[in-house]
């Protein structure tokens, strides 16, 4: 036998309109929390993805960021230069010199892949977001503009008290300690442990006796006094 459904409560006409008006009245009585931008700048979180800053000194033109970009919005041009040998008889080397580094923010989807794959820490997230343009073609920013945004990148958060130092900091500290040790004068050499033990085993000689006199055996004289041959 099918169970009977509970009787539904009769709906009061206009109850939905009354609920909507109640929400409107509660909202009207609350204080507004809208920031008056641009007079009041927003308080952005530290990991805001605004734009991408370029630290040009670390870029080696490896092209890894441009190859991994899913939108192909990074444009890089470079040329090779020959570096003379650092020491006489050495071999010359060639290095890449950056000519152009541009990002088309009209195509960028802010995925951050280019920043993650950069092996030399040349790209960073900046919280800067005021770069709107009236023409979409002006959203392609060159390396000079990306360099300016680099100085708006916030400092990294502090490490935990028990955390290890970064590899870069540890390597720099090790190099500084090595240079400081090279500049200090060498300490006087201490005698070897074997030499110290050998010196402790040798008998002490009275003052005025030579080594030849001390090493010669003693013999008794006829009158009972000790003498030397």
């Amino acid at each position: 036998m099918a169970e009977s459904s509970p009787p539904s409560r009769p709906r009061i006409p206009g109850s939905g309109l009354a609920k909507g008006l109640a929400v409107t009245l509660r909202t009207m009585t609350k204080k507004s929390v809208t920031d008056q931008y641009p007079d009041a700048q927003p308080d952005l979180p530290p990991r805001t993805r605004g734009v991408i800053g370029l630290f040009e000194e670390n870029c080696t033109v490896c092209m890894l960021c441009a190859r991994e970009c899913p939108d192909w919005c990074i444009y890089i041009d470079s040329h090779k230069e020959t570096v003379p040998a650092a020491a006489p008889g050495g071999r010359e080397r060639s290095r890449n010199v950056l000519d152009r580094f541009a990002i088309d923010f009209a195509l960028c989807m802010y995925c951050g892949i280019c920043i993650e794959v950069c092996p030399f820490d040349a790209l960073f997230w900046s919280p800067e977001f005021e770069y709107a343009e009236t023409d979409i073609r002006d959203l392609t920013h060159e390396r000079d503009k990306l360099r300016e945004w680099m100085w708006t990148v916030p400092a990294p958060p502090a490490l935990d008290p028990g955390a290890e130092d970064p590899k870069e900091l540890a390597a720099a500290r090790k190099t500084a300690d090595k240079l400081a040790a090279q500049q200090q004068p060498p300490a006087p050499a201490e005698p070897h442990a074997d030499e110290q033990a050998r010196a402790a085993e040798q008998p002490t000689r009275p003052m005025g006796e030579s080594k030849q006199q001390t090493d010669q055996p003693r013999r008794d004289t006829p009158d009972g006094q000790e003498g030397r041959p």
Side-chain angles (χ1 to χ4, degrees), residues 14-188:
S15 59
L17 179 60
K19 291 181 180 179
L21 291 176
V23 174
T24 303
L25 291 174
R26 285 197 302 267
T27 305
M28 290 176 61
T29 56
K30 289 183 180 179
K31 185 179 179 180
S32 177
V33 294
T34 303
D35 293 333
Q36 301 300 323
Y37 177 83
D39 297 334
Q41 293 291 329
D43 187 12
L44 301 175
R47 299 183 65 182
T48 300
R49 295 188 176 188
V51 291
I52 299 174
L54 171 66
F55 192 56
E56 188 175 339
E57 285 77 2
N58 287 358
C59 183
T60 60
V61 200
C62 64
M63 305 293 292
L64 192 59
C65 57
R67 291 198 300 266
E68 297 296 332
C69 178
D71 292 333
W72 293 84
C73 63
I74 301 177
Y75 311 109
I76 300 176
D77 293 332
S78 64
H79 69 278
K80 288 185 177 293
E81 284 186 357
T82 302
V83 180
R91 189 174 61 178
E92 295 181 347
R93 298 182 298 106
S94 61
R95 65 184 181 95
N96 294 324
V97 179
L98 183 65
D99 293 332
R100 185 195 182 199
F101 195 106
I103 299 178
D104 187 358
F105 286 97
L107 298 177
C108 179
M109 64 180 184
Y110 304 91
C111 63
I113 294 178
C114 57
I115 298 176
E116 296 295 332
V117 301
C118 180
F120 301 104
D121 292 335
L123 298 175
F124 296 87
W125 277 119
S126 168
E128 184 67 31
F129 63 93
E130 298 178 321
Y131 57 97
E133 301 289 346
T134 57
D135 192 347
I136 193 174
R137 292 172 294 183
D138 296 334
L139 286 175
T140 301
H141 295 288
E142 301 293 334
R143 65 176 183 175
D144 296 336
K145 189 64 175 178
L146 302 179
R147 172 79 174 187
E148 294 179 6
W149 284 331
M150 180 62 205
W151 308 121
T152 63
V153 175
L159 298 176
D160 294 335
E164 297 181 356
D165 292 335
K167 295 181 180 179
E168 297 83 1
L169 184 59
R173 186 179 293 112
K174 184 178 180 180
T175 304
D177 295 342
K178 185 178 180 180
L179 293 176
Q182 293 177 355
Q183 294 177 357
Q184 293 180 355

